[in-house]
Amino acid sequence: MTILDELSGFEFEDVMEDVFRNLGYENVRQASRTADEGRDIIMEETVDGQRRTVIVECKHTDTVGRPVVQKLHSAVATYDGAGPKRGMVATTGRFTGPATEYTENLAESGDPYPIELLDGTDLRELADEVGLDLYNGRIEILCDETLRPYDPTRGPAGAVEDAFRDVENIEAADLPDPELWVQFQPTVTVDATVNATFETSVGVIHQIRDRDQLVVDAARDGASTPPPPLARLVSSNLDQRIELDEADLCDVFTETDVGRFGQTETEYKEYAVDHLRRKHTTTVTYTGDNNVTYNKECEPNQSDISVQSITASYVPRIRASVEFDSSTYQYEYYAAGPSRWTVDDGVHRCQQCGETDSGPFTYCQNCQSINCPDHIETERLVGEPVCTGCAVTERFFYSQKYFYDETNREQFRAEYEAMPFYEKALENEPLLAGIVVSVVVAVLFALTSAGLV
């Protein structure tokens, strides 16, 4: 007996849901387990441009007879849904002769609600198409699609150019091409619906009708929820995926690393369902028939959450290194074409204090460093930006002046000595302004005291 045969009926339905989703059926979901009315799985397909509902009965038994097929045919005929419909019975065992004969008669008579039969052999053939090992009911995720590692309209250096664009005293066009490394990190995006109703003796006290999308970090160390900016980057760019071809990327990236998915599709689905159950769990306050106030925790059941799709995709994490003059700048980010989320910005970081949030930042050509406003000054002799880390300083007319080096300071000192007094005073305009104001006030006071004003 295989492990598949040891699955419960509900577990078998979970496996079949994954099989059909991977075969390309859309909106695959399980009917309520409490009252499935002969419908275990409901899904949709497109045939000749027309949508059709498919209702599946899963039977985890040795044999399936005609009564099961007849019951499903009635369920399909009475299903409340627009458009054409058909049925399907899937079993790990086999179908009896009368069951097979009944479906053949439906087909020959042109019945509007045909039934397809899938026995254990058929299931294993389908499993080969989607890479599913039906002996353990697990789907190993094999993905060959990724979000775009760079904006194709601008090239690989576009993100680095953008990072340098608002740094003052430097031209992004002057930057050399960055050296790039990329790691393709696995993610899984799960689309699901939550339909839950909570009732007490007073009636319905809470309902959930929601459609959720959950992005899961699918690294080998286990499923986890990524930071919101990364989740938004992935979910908003899923329709822009391209084929991951490492050979085509060799000319762009110094090194590429493709991560492996750490768990199976079934395990990611279970993680998503548990996450959504916690997300939608809430405590509801209501008044009972006896006018007493009660608190009830409303937690959706697993059967209240239906997974519609599971999309695997890689998201590129890129590390860029730029050698400019004698300095090296690092910039690390997740990419999705022209969109990105920066995780380590070594460009907008003051080399003096490490501050990253107090721009605008300015490039010091004297020592090739980038600095925040608190650590950048104007070189007195040439009038260019210079950082406080490399500048040579001296006070002139009680005002601190900054110079590239000793030579510039000596040259300005000579110029200063030759200046008339009023020009020297202009080296400290705040002090000069204060002196002028004080003199004016003193004169006015004297004139007022003398009765001349």
Side-chain angles (χ1 to χ4, degrees), residues 1-9 11-13 15-16 19 60-61 91-93 119-121 123-124 127 132-138:
M1 180 179 292
T2 65
I3 295 178
L4 175 63
D5 294 329
E6 296 172 356
L7 296 174
S8 69
E11 290 171 334
F12 176 57
E13 292 173 18
V15 172
M16 292 311 303
V19 170
H60 190 40
T61 58
T91 179
T92 55
D119 61 18
T121 300
L123 294 183
R124 283 166 173 78
L132 170 64
D133 180 2
L134 279 182
Y135 287 90
N136 61 26
R138 297 161 65 89

Side-chain angles (χ1 to χ4, degrees), residues 65-120:
R66 176 174 175 151
V68 172
V69 182
Q70 286 180 304
K71 179 183 176 182
L72 176 62
H73 183 261
S74 298
V76 173
T78 58
Y79 177 72
D80 185 16
K85 299 168 285 187
R86 73 179 181 95
M88 183 186 298
V89 182
T91 179
T92 55
R94 62 181 183 85
F95 294 97
T96 64
T100 302
E101 182 180 358
Y102 180 80
T103 58
E104 291 174 349
N105 290 337
L106 291 176
E108 292 173 358
S109 65
D111 191 276
Y113 311 114
I115 304 295
E116 179 182 3
L117 304 181
L118 298 176
D119 61 18

Side-chain angles (χ1 to χ4, degrees), residues 155-396:
V160 176
E161 292 173 357
D162 287 344
F164 278 93
R165 193 173 304 281
D166 59 355
V167 176
E168 297 181 359
N169 202 37
I170 189 173
E171 294 292 335
D174 296 335
L175 295 171
D177 289 336
E179 192 169 6
L180 302 171
W181 296 263
V182 60
Q183 180 184 41
F184 291 94
Q185 294 188 192
T187 65
V188 169
T189 303
V190 181
D191 286 287
T193 57
V194 183
N195 293 289
T197 301
F198 303 90
E199 297 182 79
T200 67
S201 60
V202 300
V204 176
I205 62 170
H206 184 55
Q207 282 188 316
I208 304 172
R209 299 289 184 268
D210 198 12
R211 187 177 184 92
D212 266 294
Q213 184 179 78
L214 178 67
V215 177
V216 181
D217 186 339
R220 292 188 63 81
D221 54 355
S224 62
T225 304
L230 179 56
R232 288 193 294 269
L233 181 73
V234 173
S235 61
S236 61
N237 289 279
L238 274 181
D239 58 345
Q240 301 295 322
R241 302 190 306 276
I242 62 171
E243 182 180 355
L244 174 54
D245 189 335
E246 291 186 75
D248 288 345
L249 298 172
C250 290
D251 294 336
V252 177
F253 297 97
T254 300
E255 183 178 330
T256 61
D257 178 27
V258 180
R260 290 190 59 187
F261 288 79
Q263 294 181 298
T264 65
E265 183 176 295
T266 301
E267 289 169 320
Y268 291 123
K269 181 180 71 174
E270 292 171 349
Y271 174 86
V273 170
D274 288 343
H275 179 90
L276 294 175
R277 289 183 66 190
R278 293 192 300 270
K279 173 184 175 181
H280 290 282
T281 297
T282 186
T283 299
V284 175
T285 301
Y286 69 98
T287 302
D289 295 328
N290 55 0
N291 288 325
V292 176
T293 300
Y294 296 93
N295 292 322
K296 179 178 176 61
E297 183 180 70
C298 299
E299 179 182 11
N301 297 316
Q302 287 188 354
S303 57
D304 295 329
I305 300 175
S306 176
V307 174
Q308 308 299 305
S309 65
I310 298 177
T311 305
S313 177
Y314 288 103
V315 54
R317 179 167 180 158
I318 297 172
R319 178 166 57 91
S321 179
V322 181
E323 297 279 351
F324 187 69
D325 287 342
S326 62
S327 295
T328 301
Y329 299 96
Q330 305 288 344
Y331 184 64
E332 192 166 353
Y333 59 97
Y334 287 96
S339 303
R340 72 185 72 94
W341 176 49
T342 302
V343 293
D344 184 19
D345 188 350
V347 177
H348 298 93
R349 178 180 293 124
C350 179
Q351 304 257 329
Q352 309 301 319
C353 65
E355 181 62 51
T356 59
D357 299 322
S358 60
F361 291 86
T362 304
Y363 178 71
C364 173
Q365 293 181 335
N366 194 48
C367 69
Q368 294 85 50
S369 67
I370 294 175
N371 302 275
C372 70
D374 290 340
H375 294 92
I376 202 77
E377 299 290 343
T378 299
E379 211 273 357
R380 177 60 187 85
L381 187 66
V382 298
E384 295 293 336
V386 63
C387 72
T388 58
C390 71
V392 175
T393 63
E394 186 173 330
R395 300 179 73 84
F396 292 89

